[in-house]
Every structure is written in C-alpha cells, then in structure tokens.
C-alpha cells in the first residue's frame, strides 16, 4: 500500500537516512521514537509537504514522489487539530468535500455518518472554541476521513490531551480503524499508545529506522539497547553467553541466568520488568531463573510500582500493583525473590557488533 524506497532528506540541520518501509493496505502502523527522531518529517514527506532529496514514495502502486499533497489522496491529523476557527464542527468535517465539489446532499450524509461514528452529532453546530481537546480531535479525525483517503497520517494526535481522554480516544481510534479499514500511519513517542494501537511498529532514532516488526516482537525482542530502553525494558545487562544443551547460560558477574536464545560469546541481556514475578517467600515455580536479594528502592510509575532489588551486585527491577505492594509488605531493605522464565531473558549481540539499521 505505502512503500518508502531509500528515502533521504536534509532539513534544518537534521537528516533522514535511507528509510525503507512498506505498510500494507488496511494496516495500523505506528512510528515510535523520541522527540527529534525524524518521525514528523517522515510523515510530512509521505504527505507531500516536503520533497525527498533521494528515494521514492509509492502509494497504492503509484509513484507520488513528485505529486502535490492534494493529489495524493492522503488524510492528515495533527497534534493541535488545525481546525478552522470561523467554521462549525460540521463545516470543518465537510471542508474537503466542498473543495472537491461534492454535491451538498452527499456531503451532508457523509458528515452525519462520520459524526455518528465518532459520537459527535451534538457538536456539529459548535465552533472549535466551544469544544474540548478530545472533541476537537474527533472533529479533526472526521474531517480527515471525510474525503475517503487511501492513507491516514496522524502526527501525535493524542499528545496534547489529558491521560483519561487519551485512553478513551485510543479505543476510539482502534474502533474507527476496524470499521473503516483505512490504512493508518500514526506517529507517537508514547510506548503504551504504540503497543495498544500498532499492528506493527517502526522505531526511529536520529533519522533512521532501527527496528520494524510486530508490536510484541519490538517490545519483547528488541534488536538493540536503544530499542530495549525506549520501550521500557529497564533491565539491560552486559555479560557473556554460552550454549548449554537446549538453553544458553548468561553470566553477569557472579550471577548466572538461563535463556532460550542462542548466542555464544559477549552478549547483552534484556528482561522486561513486567515479566519478573516478585515474592517475599520462596515459591514453587517452573521459571528457570530465581534470585534472592534485598529491595533498594520502590518508586511509583503510573498505576504500578517499580521495585528495584540487588542480587550479588546485580540490580533488577520488577513492576507490581499497589495491592501486591501492600499485601507483600514490600519496602526498602526487605528480602525478596525474583523469578522469570528463560524465554523472558532476551539475548542479543553487544551494541558495538550490531548495525542498528533495518
């Protein structure tokens, strides 16, 4: 559906470098990365707001690299919604249809249909300054969908909203995508947003795509330390791996762990904190990795608590709910047991031996 072929662009001291990407028809694809990674610039290249210095943009089998935005059949939703302040919500939604010369009756039916889909029927006669942030984004999304785009581009559409509204609109975006089947490329720096919405995720860093894959692959099997850290896998260890029959033994100082990955020699290990089970008493478990240590810190992280413990000089972090924290009476200095499966210990080659370009 969308193909980016060797895209490169220099822009105000920043450069996109050799971007190759394919997004399938009907897919919800998320570009994830920190601010300044080049996500928005790449989106604007796809939309036609900028021309690449090198490479091609192919949409639905057609080379659109040299076409202006209005001839690409692409919808765009911005972070700040960009609604026309002098028009009502309904007029904003129907703007693209009027520009195309759509018959008034047909345009009205389209506006009413999309308003119903996004639950904003009662807002159609209000102007943007009478709408909340979430309502404005629903209107902006309806406006982008009204022209039936081949591709819907969204640049941090939820970033300016309150957390509760963000959560509600994530569910709405997933539902609307399911109902319309439109192909989506969604830019965000929010890992939870990417994980909830993306069928596949592309992680960007310094103008390059450093990993592309299904959401669970990117989060559970990062290809390098940057992806691991940015997606929340705070337990990143350097050591040495050695194959031992059907498993691999990973040594980090005096601590030895077991993995199902197959690497020999210097290695970097990644363990997601939510994959570590914590207890204050020894437990019977099939997990191959079991460590005993002392809690060194407890920090609130959103709806969970990060419990960091030290095991023979090695520090690992587990996530627990407030209820578990209270029930287990976990506090600094308490003895705890960390358990996790061999399959949860992801191994990769040391950073200097990898090329983080996909």
């Amino acid at each position: 559906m969308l193909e980016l072929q060797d895209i490169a662009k220099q822009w105000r001291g920043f450069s996109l470098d050799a971007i190759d990407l394919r997004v399938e028809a009907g897919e919800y694809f998320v570009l994830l990365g920190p601010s300044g990674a080049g996500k928005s610039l790449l989106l604007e290249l796809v939309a036609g707001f900028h021309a690449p210095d090198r490479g091609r943009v192919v949409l639905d089998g057609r080379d659109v690299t040299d076409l202006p935005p209005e001839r690409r059949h692409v919808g765009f939703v911005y972070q700040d919604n960009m609604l026309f302040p002098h028009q009502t919500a309904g007029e904003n939604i129907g703007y693209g249809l009027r520009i195309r010369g759509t018959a008034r009756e047909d345009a009205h039916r389209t506006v009413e249909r999309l308003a119903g889909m996004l639950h904003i029927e009662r807002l159609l006669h209000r102007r943007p300054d009478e709408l909340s942030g979430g309502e404005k984004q629903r209107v902006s999304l309806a406006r982008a969908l009204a022209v039936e785009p081949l591709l819907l581009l969204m640049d941090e559409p939820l970033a300016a909203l309150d957390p509760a509204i963000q959560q509600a609109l994530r569910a709405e975006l997933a539902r609307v995508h399911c109902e319309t089947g439109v192909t989506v490329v969604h830019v965000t720096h929010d890992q939870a947003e990417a994980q909830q919405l993306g069928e596949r995720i592309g992680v960007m860093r310094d103008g390059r795509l450093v990993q592309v894959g299904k959401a669970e692959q990117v989060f559970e099997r990062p290809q390098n330390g940057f992806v691991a850290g940015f997606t929340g896998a705070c337990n990143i260890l350097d050591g040495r791996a050695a194959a031992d029959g059907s498993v691999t033994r990973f040594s980090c100082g005096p601590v030895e762990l077991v993995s199902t990955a197959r690497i020999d020699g210097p290695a970097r290990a990644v363990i997601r904190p939510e994959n570590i089970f914590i207890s204050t008493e020894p437990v019977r478990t099939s997990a191959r990795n079991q460590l005993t240590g002392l809690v060194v810190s407890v920090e609130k992280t959103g709806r969970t608590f990060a419990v960091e413990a030290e095991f023979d000089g090695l520090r690992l972090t587990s996530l627990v709910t407030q209820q578990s924290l209270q029930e287990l009476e976990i506090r600094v200095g308490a003895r705890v047991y960390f358990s996790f499966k061999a399959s949860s210990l992801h191994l990769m080659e040391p950073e200097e031996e990898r090329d983080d370009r996909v």
Side-chain angles (χ1 to χ4, degrees), residues 13-31:
F14 181 82
S15 63
L16 288 175
D17 183 22
I19 302 291
D20 288 296
L21 177 65
R22 180 180 178 87
V23 178
E24 300 297 336
E27 183 176 15
Y28 201 120
F29 187 90
V30 173
L31 280 172

Side-chain angles (χ1 to χ4, degrees), residues 119-138:
H119 310 301
I120 52 175
E121 305 98 316
R122 62 184 178 81
L123 307 177
L124 292 179
H125 298 292
R126 298 185 188 179
R127 298 189 185 277
D129 61 2
E130 300 175 288
L131 303 177
S132 68
E135 291 168 344
K136 290 177 183 177
Q137 283 303 67
R138 290 171 188 264

